[in-house]
């Protein structure tokens, strides 16, 4: 890689001081305790066993409809610390508490407003996380010292049963090593988490593929801190209004990002990720590839493989519509690692409410670097 580009990469990555932890070794993968659960008919006996691990203060990776999560008892400080250790996660990035039933929010949050109740009724169980004032019983380690707590009621039947059987809220970030793309397949979880957790539940691929929409509900108007499947428009329909955090819209990292997790480089594979918008991208991509014939390139883009893309370039399609983009995004980023890609060029899906989440994740993965 040319020196200039290395400098660029360093410049764009300096927001993340944290070094990426190492992927699992073959030995760790062999030794990891696994539990395969049938997503159509989850076996209660297995889920009860998994819940025992949570109750005893252990860590369990489990599927949700958004991405796989790395769970522990959300009221047990020591157990939650294990999550940070397993992921190599910075201590100032708070965790989401997952609850089995929407009404359980009153056990963890204070000042539950009518808007929060309406949102819970409309979107839970589902891919929505609400940030509300915390109760004192929520440990500092979960909220990273903030006076708010993020709460989600997931829809996935395995996630739901695990939380119910555990009888406690489950704190769970995405089950990837800090900085890596979120895991949407059991294989992704094994790569990142084998040897680092007490139990991994394997099941089918995550249905949605991007993490939940995180919304700050503490003010009069809801503010989206992390875009996801549930859009601003849909929230505005329920609450009358909804804003998107400037940290997302300005496409840069401010000094004090609204959501602590947004300030770190995120979702990045080993390859350098570089963005283009759809307009005029073709010529720039061609020129870039021509000027570095020694590098392995991948192209990640919506739609079909461009007819004139050189044969030796990997093409990873994001599919045809916003739901496909979400579903394929993280698997495409991880595939570039598998294929030993040096540079992954991305044609961003056209901007719209429905593509905000995917564009946001890709911008983070690229450290906002454009061709
Ligand atoms: O879909 C999801 O949300 C997945 C699944 C497993 O549920 N979980 C997930 O967690 O994506 P994580 O830890 O990877 O992302 C949580 C995000 C981070 O950006 C974090 O900073 C933000 O939520 N967050 C958590 N608590 C917060 C709080 N009190 N105030 C503001 N942001 C908060
Ligand atoms: Mg995450």
């Amino acid at each position: 890689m040319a020196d200039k580009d290395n400098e660029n990469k360093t410049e764009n990555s300096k927001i993340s001081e944290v070094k990426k932890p190492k992927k699992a070794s073959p030995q760790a993968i062999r030794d990891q305790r696994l539990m395969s659960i049938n997503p159509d008919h989850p076996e209660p006996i297995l889920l009860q066993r998994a819940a025992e691990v949570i109750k005893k203060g252990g860590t369990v990776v489990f599927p949700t409809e958004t991405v796989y999560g790395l769970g522990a008892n959300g009221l047990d400080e020591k157990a939650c610390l294990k999550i940070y250790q397993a992921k190599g996660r910075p201590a100032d990035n708070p965790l989401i508490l997952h609850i089995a039933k929407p009404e359980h929010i009153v056990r963890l949050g204070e000042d539950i407003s009518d808007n929060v109740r309406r949102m819970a009724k409309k979107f839970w169980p589902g891919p929505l996380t609400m940030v509300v004032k915390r109760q004192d019983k929520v440990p500092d380690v979960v909220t990273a010292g903030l006076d708010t707590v993020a709460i989600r009621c997931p829809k996935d039947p395995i996630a739901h049963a695990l939380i119910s059987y555990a009888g406690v809220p489950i704190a769970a970030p995405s089950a990837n090593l800090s900085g890596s793309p979120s895991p949407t397949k059991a294989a992704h979880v094994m790569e990142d988490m084998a040897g680092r957790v007490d139990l991994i539940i394997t099941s089918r691929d995550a249905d949605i593929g991007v993490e939940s929409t995180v919304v700050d509900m503490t003010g009069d108007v809801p503010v989206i801190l992390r875009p996801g499947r549930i859009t601003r428009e849909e929230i505005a329909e329920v609450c009358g209004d909804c804003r998107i955090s400037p940290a997302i819209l300005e496409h840069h990292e401010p000094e004090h990002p609204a959501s602590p997790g947004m300030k770190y480089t995120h979702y990045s594979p080993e390859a350098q990720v570089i963005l283009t918008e759809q307009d005029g991208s073709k010529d720039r991509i061609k020129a870039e590839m021509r000027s570095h014939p020694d590098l392995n390139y991948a192209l990640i883009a919506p739609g079909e493989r461009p007819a004139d893309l050189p044969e030796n370039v990997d093409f990873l399609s994001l599919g045809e519509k916003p739901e496909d983009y979400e579903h394929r995004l993280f698997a495409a980023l991880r595939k570039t690692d598998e294929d030993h890609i040096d540079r992954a060029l991305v044609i961003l899906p056209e901007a719209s409410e429905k593509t905000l989440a995917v564009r946001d994740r890709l911008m983070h993965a690229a450290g906002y670097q454009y061709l």
Side-chain angles (χ1 to χ4, degrees):
M1 206 181 283
D3 276 346
K4 181 174 154 284
D5 300 318
N6 261 332
E7 269 166 33
N8 257 342
K9 173 108 175 164
T10 315
E11 177 67 20
N12 280 299
S13 309
K14 81 174 172 225
I15 33 181
S16 170
E17 305 287 323
V18 188
K19 228 179 147 202
K20 257 199 205 176
K22 274 215 170 94
K23 301 267 175 193
S25 66
Q27 183 68 41
I29 290 175
R30 276 196 298 276
D31 292 348
Q32 175 65 51
R33 183 179 167 202
L34 296 178
M35 183 183 277
S36 166
I37 294 194
N38 180 340
D40 297 316
H41 303 284
E43 300 86 343
I45 182 84
L46 294 180
L47 284 159
Q48 282 159 9
R49 256 181 238 155
E52 280 304 314
V53 177
I54 297 278
K55 284 194 214 169
K56 287 188 180 140
T59 46
V60 177
V61 172
F62 61 99
T64 86
E65 70 275 25
T66 55
V67 299
Y68 276 76
L70 160 54
N73 179 351
L75 299 178
D76 176 341
E77 192 161 348
K78 265 198 196 151
C80 290
L81 277 172
K82 292 181 188 168
I83 293 178
Y84 286 87
Q85 272 161 9
K87 278 184 66 99
R89 183 178 177 103
D92 65 350
N93 191 3
L95 306 175
I96 296 172
L97 288 183
H98 295 71
I99 53 179
K101 291 192 171 160
E103 55 268 30
H104 292 172
I105 189 172
V106 299
R107 299 179 181 177
L108 303 164
E110 287 292 359
D111 300 345
I112 302 303
S113 65
D114 288 346
N115 271 346
V116 170
R117 285 178 206 282
R118 279 195 282 269
M119 292 272 281
K121 191 152 186 243
K122 172 83 181 173
F123 298 117
W124 277 354
L128 171 77
T129 296
M130 289 195 276
V131 173
V132 296
K133 213 170 149 223
R134 73 190 263 202
Q135 287 180 19
D136 288 344
K137 69 153 104 68
V138 178
D140 277 345
V141 60
V142 168
T143 67
L146 298 174
D147 59 1
T148 54
V149 58
I151 302 175
R152 170 160 116 84
C153 178
K155 187 169 189 178
D156 181 281
I158 296 176
H160 171 79
L162 181 68
I163 306 162
S164 292
Y165 287 132
V168 290
I170 295 187
S174 47
N176 52 283
L177 291 171
S178 193
S180 290
S182 294
T184 57
K185 296 170 182 286
H188 299 164
V189 166
M190 293 302 292
E191 273 166 25
D192 281 26
M193 285 299 141
R196 294 175 172 269
V197 292
D198 295 308
L199 176 66
I200 293 178
I201 298 177
T202 62
S203 189
R204 69 171 156 227
D205 295 356
D207 182 32
I208 294 178
V210 290
E211 309 90 334
S212 60
T213 307
V214 178
V215 190
D216 180 357
M217 297 298 296
T218 58
D220 291 337
V221 176
V223 180
I224 294 181
L225 305 180
R226 181 180 68 184
R229 170 66 60 90
I230 295 172
T231 62
R232 191 205 62 81
E233 245 172 352
E234 290 173 288
I235 296 169
E237 261 174 42
V238 176
C239 298
D241 197 1
C242 175
R243 295 195 195 118
I244 296 171
S245 162
I248 298 165
L249 291 178
E250 286 165 15
H251 300 159
H252 68 258
E253 304 289 347
E255 281 281 283
H256 301 290
S259 182
M262 302 303 266
K263 75 181 168 189
Y264 298 101
T265 45
H266 245 148
Y267 318 118
S268 308
E270 293 304 318
Q272 188 178 15
V273 180
I274 309 178
L275 309 172
T276 62
E277 293 286 356
Q278 306 233 344
D279 287 352
S281 60
K282 253 186 161 181
D283 290 342
R284 279 203 300 280
I285 288 172
K286 267 192 201 154
E288 157 73 22
M289 288 177 179
R290 261 204 308 271
S291 59
H292 298 285
D294 49 324
L295 295 183
N296 276 334
Y297 280 98
L299 178 65
I300 300 177
E304 286 178 15
R305 182 183 179 98
D308 55 353
L309 194 68
E311 246 173 49
N312 60 343
V313 176
D314 257 22
F315 179 67
L316 301 166
S317 174
L318 291 174
E320 306 302 329
K321 52 184 194 301
E323 290 78 13
D324 298 342
Y325 308 159
E326 291 180 348
H327 192 70
R328 295 186 183 193
L329 169 74
F330 289 129
L333 289 172
R334 281 184 182 256
K335 185 78 169 47
T336 64
D337 279 349
E338 217 177 280
D339 297 347
H340 305 289
I341 297 299
D342 299 305
R343 283 191 188 167
L345 307 183
V346 175
I347 303 178
L348 287 164
E350 213 173 297
S352 76
E353 292 240 355
K354 287 196 167 182
T355 58
L356 186 64
V358 166
R359 287 173 59 92
D360 168 75
R361 304 306 190 273
L362 284 166
M363 285 177 192
H364 274 89
Y368 302 88
Q369 197 179 352
Y370 281 81
L371 202 59

